Amino acid sequence: MNNGRFSIALHILTLLDKANGELLSSEYLAGSININPAMVRKELINLRINGFVQSKEGKNGGSSLAISANEITLGAIYQSVKQISLLGSQKNTPNPKCPVGKNINEHLNDLYNDTELILIKQLNKQSLADFSSKFS
Amino acid sequence: MNNGRFSIALHILTLLDKANGELLSSEYLAGSININPAMVRKELINLRINGFVQSKEGKNGGSSLAISANEITLGAIYQSVKQISLLGSQKNTPNPKCPVGKNINEHLNDLYNDTELILIKQLNKQSLADFSSKFS
DNA sequence: TCATTCTGTAATTATTTTTATTACAGTACA
DNA sequence: TGTACTGTAATAAAAATAATTACAGAATGA
């Protein structure tokens, strides 16, 4: 991963888990994370798409977990926020006339994919519930 | 990892391995990678510090591997180029008044460190020689 | 019904990070 | 002593991230 989105997503989810079903507003969440509520709402879109949270509009609205914290692994969170590949951005345009340059992207991709699989497997060892339980 | 430096470093090292001891200039390396020679020279500084390459100044100068490609693991290359933590930048400044915010950085750091160890272990399974042998 | 308090979302701007460029001093060779 | 390199700094450009602002629309409840 290469963005603060994982941290933010995990922070949101941990707070929601701690809230035990009570709806938390994006402003409240933003207060704990110390970022802008609009950023929280943006990340909530993604968490909703991935089925982790549900939100209620309007007065007294807010968000809560949509499924049990036991069912949400850190690997799944990671996958929900990652967009570009793990070890480097793939905008390299090496020289196709060079035997190495011509093929390196293919080999780098293989390497990144293999490595990322291991990473996700490792993250999957821990659920949101496990992570959340570390907090008092 | 979250920068193109890994790709560049590995590309450089692969080219040097293929060159079989012959000195390659930063301009030649840059030509294969399709980046600026100054960028290559910058990355070479790091590779030198880490003992992977050696460079010779002056006319007919250039760089070559300083140790055998068998002794350079991809994990070691990864470690040489990484600067910030794996899963997210650590500039978060959560709200210390919140029980979750107060402690999340500590727990995130633990998680990142554990995960990164696994990642490096995985990358260490492959040496530069292994990687380089994939190219004709 | 209507003021209030939320979310949803788009548009814009600011900041930070990364990458690229330029330039030139110093070194080694022939 | 000219040429072809590296070393390195300074600067600029580009890209990625994050923050801000704004406002329409939804739900509540007085």
Side-chain angles (χ1 to χ4, degrees):
Chain A
M1 252 267 282
N2 50 0
N3 54 45
R5 284 184 57 203
F6 180 80
S7 308
I8 291 173
L10 186 50
H11 199 149
I12 291 172
L13 291 169
T14 302
L15 290 167
L16 294 182
D17 181 43
K18 290 293 184 204
N20 232 217
E22 191 191 339
L23 298 187
L24 300 183
S25 73
S26 61
E27 185 150 355
Y28 175 87
L29 294 167
S32 168
I33 305 174
N34 198 25
I35 61 173
N36 197 288
M39 296 289 288
V40 171
R41 296 205 278 268
K42 246 181 245 173
E43 196 54 50
L44 282 170
I45 293 173
N46 182 53
L47 294 173
R48 218 151 39 224
I49 289 171
N50 283 273
F52 301 144
V53 313
Q54 58 203 173
S55 304
K56 188 181 159 202
E57 292 183 30
K59 194 170 178 182
N60 301 327
S63 299
S64 60
L65 290 186
I67 56 177
S68 157
N70 287 302
E71 298 174 67
I72 302 173
T73 69
L74 300 194
I77 299 170
Y78 169 84
Q79 289 186 89
S80 83
V81 298
K82 90 174 174 70
Q83 302 166 305
I84 67 171
S85 87
L86 175 65
L87 296 178
S89 53
Q90 215 50 39
K91 61 180 172 204
N92 311 332
T93 54
N95 188 342
K97 290 182 195 153
C98 165
V100 172
K102 189 169 63 182
N103 297 308
I104 196 162
N105 276 342
E106 177 198 341
H107 294 311
L108 283 174
N109 272 328
D110 289 352
L111 175 63
Y112 297 166
N113 291 154
D114 291 355
T115 308
E116 186 157 70
L117 272 179
I118 298 290
L119 182 127
I120 290 168
K121 202 170 145 194
Q122 170 70 12
L123 288 174
N124 276 339
K125 290 181 181 167
Q126 202 170 157
S127 71
L128 173 60
D130 296 329
F131 186 79
S132 170
S133 73
K134 297 185 205 296
F135 298 86
S136 50
Chain B
M1 252 264 284
N2 50 1
N3 54 44
R5 285 183 56 203
F6 179 81
S7 307
I8 292 173
L10 185 50
H11 199 148
I12 291 172
L13 291 169
T14 302
L15 289 166
L16 294 182
D17 181 43
K18 290 293 184 201
N20 233 216
E22 191 191 338
L23 298 187
L24 300 183
S25 72
S26 61
E27 186 149 356
Y28 176 87
L29 294 167
S32 168
I33 305 174
N34 197 25
I35 61 174
N36 198 289
M39 296 290 288
V40 171
R41 296 205 279 268
K42 246 181 244 174
E43 196 53 50
L44 282 169
I45 292 173
N46 182 54
L47 294 173
R48 219 151 39 224
I49 288 171
N50 283 273
F52 302 143
V53 313
Q54 58 203 174
S55 304
K56 188 181 160 203
E57 293 184 31
K59 194 171 180 181
N60 301 329
S63 299
S64 60
L65 290 185
I67 56 177
S68 158
N70 287 302
E71 297 174 68
I72 303 174
T73 69
L74 300 195
I77 299 169
Y78 169 83
Q79 289 185 90
S80 82
V81 298
K82 90 174 175 70
Q83 301 166 305
I84 67 173
S85 85
L86 175 64
L87 296 180
S89 54
Q90 215 51 36
K91 61 180 170 203
N92 310 332
T93 54
N95 187 342
K97 289 182 195 154
C98 164
V100 172
K102 190 169 62 181
N103 297 308
I104 196 161
N105 275 342
E106 177 197 340
H107 294 310
L108 283 174
N109 272 328
D110 289 351
L111 175 65
Y112 296 165
N113 291 154
D114 291 354
T115 308
E116 187 156 69
L117 273 179
I118 297 290
L119 182 127
I120 290 168
K121 201 170 145 195
Q122 170 69 10
L123 287 174
N124 276 339
K125 291 182 182 167
Q126 202 171 154
S127 71
L128 173 60
D130 295 328
F131 187 79
S132 170
S133 74
K134 298 184 204 296
F135 297 87
S136 51

